[in-house]
Amino acid sequence: MIAITRDVSPSIERCELTHVERSVIDYERACLQHERYRELLSSLGCRMITIDADPGFPDSVFVEDAAIVLDDLAVITRPGAESRRGETSAVAVALAPFRKLVHIEAPATLDGGDVLVLDDRIFVGLSDRSNHAAIDQLRRLTGRAVTAVVMSDCLHLKTAITQVSRNQLVVNRAWVDVAPFEGWELIDVAPGEPFGGNAVLLGDVVVYPAAYGDTRRRLEERGIEVRTVEADELAKAEGGVTCCSLLVR
Ligand code: CIR
C-alpha cells in the first residue's frame, strides 16, 4: 500500500470553513500531529510519498479531496471550493506513476471527501462541494455504479460515514441518509462525538482520532482493531483522518 500525503501549508489559517467556527490553528502543532499520523500509516505498512507544502493553497494538506483512487484508474477531481482547484495538479503528478488518470470537468464539481468506495460501488454525497454533473461523469469515467447520497449539516459524506471493516460502517445518522447503505452493519457514533464518523481503514486496522473515545469503544466492542492519532489541530480546519492521505492499493 502506498500513502500519498502533503505537508501542511503554512497558510493553513486561511483555510475554507463551512460548518466549523474559525479558531486559531497552531501550525507547529498541526505539523506535529500530521507527522505522527504519517508515522502511524508507515508503521502499518504504507510506503509513504510526500508532496511539498504549497503556501498558495491553504487546504492542500487535505489530499483526499483532489483524487479518487480505484484499482484500475484514478479520477482527478474538480474541487467545489474555487480556492482549492489548483491543488489537483501536484496530486496528479504524484499519482501518475501508479494509475491511468482521468479528469472531472466543468460544470461538475467533486471533492474526494464526498466519495465513499465500497467494493464495486461508489457513493457520492450531495454536499455543497459535489454536484449531480460529477456523479454522471464518475459513472461514465469509471463504468461503476454510482449512487447519490443525501446529506446535510457537515462538509463531506465521509465526515459522516466511513468503512471500518469488511462489512461495517461507522456513521453519524444526523448528517446522512443511511438508506443507500442497506446490507451494511452500521455502528453509530457515540452521543457527544458527532465527528466520530470519519475513520481510515487500512487492511484490518482502523486509524481513528484519539478524541472520540466512546465511539472508539463501540468499534472495539465489535471486534475492530483501532489505532488512535491526535487530530484535533487539523480538525479546526474542518479536516478529519481520511482527508490527509490518498491510499493507492
Ligand atoms: C475545506 O473546507 O475544503 C477544508 N478546510 C477541509 C477539507 C477536509 N477534507 C475532507 O473532509 N476530505
Side-chain angles (χ1 to χ4, degrees), residues 8 19 21 53-54 73 77 84 92 94 123 135-136 170 187:
V8 183
H19 299 279
E21 289 285 310
D54 188 332
L73 81 173
T77 65
R84 301 199 59 191
F123 296 85
I135 292 178
D136 294 341
V170 63
I187 303 171

Side-chain angles (χ1 to χ4, degrees), residues 15-18 59 62 64-65 84 113 129 155-156 159 237-239 243:
C15 65
E16 297 281 341
L17 287 177
T18 310
D59 280 306
F62 302 122
E64 170 182 67
D65 295 318
R84 301 199 59 191
R129 301 285 176 86
L155 183 61
H156 287 131
T159 318
E238 219 168 346
C243 321

Side-chain angles (χ1 to χ4, degrees), residues 16-89:
E16 297 281 341
L17 287 177
T18 310
H19 299 279
V20 166
E21 289 285 310
R22 196 166 292 277
S23 62
V24 176
I25 298 174
D26 182 334
Y27 171 67
E28 300 299 330
R29 190 160 180 272
C31 292
L32 200 72
Q33 291 186 349
H34 191 246
E35 195 48 42
R36 294 282 112 80
Y37 169 85
R38 290 203 271 225
E39 285 165 8
L40 179 54
L41 296 190
S42 170
S43 76
L44 292 171
C46 290
R47 174 154 83 82
M48 306 303 294
I49 292 181
T50 301
I51 307 174
D52 288 343
D54 188 332
F57 296 112
D59 280 306
S60 49
V61 65
F62 302 122
V63 285
E64 170 182 67
D65 295 318
I68 294 116
V69 184
L70 302 172
D71 289 345
D72 50 341
L73 81 173
V75 181
I76 304 301
T77 65
R78 182 168 179 270
E82 226 171 301
S83 71
R84 301 199 59 191
R85 299 254 161 94
E87 293 176 25
T88 54
S89 43

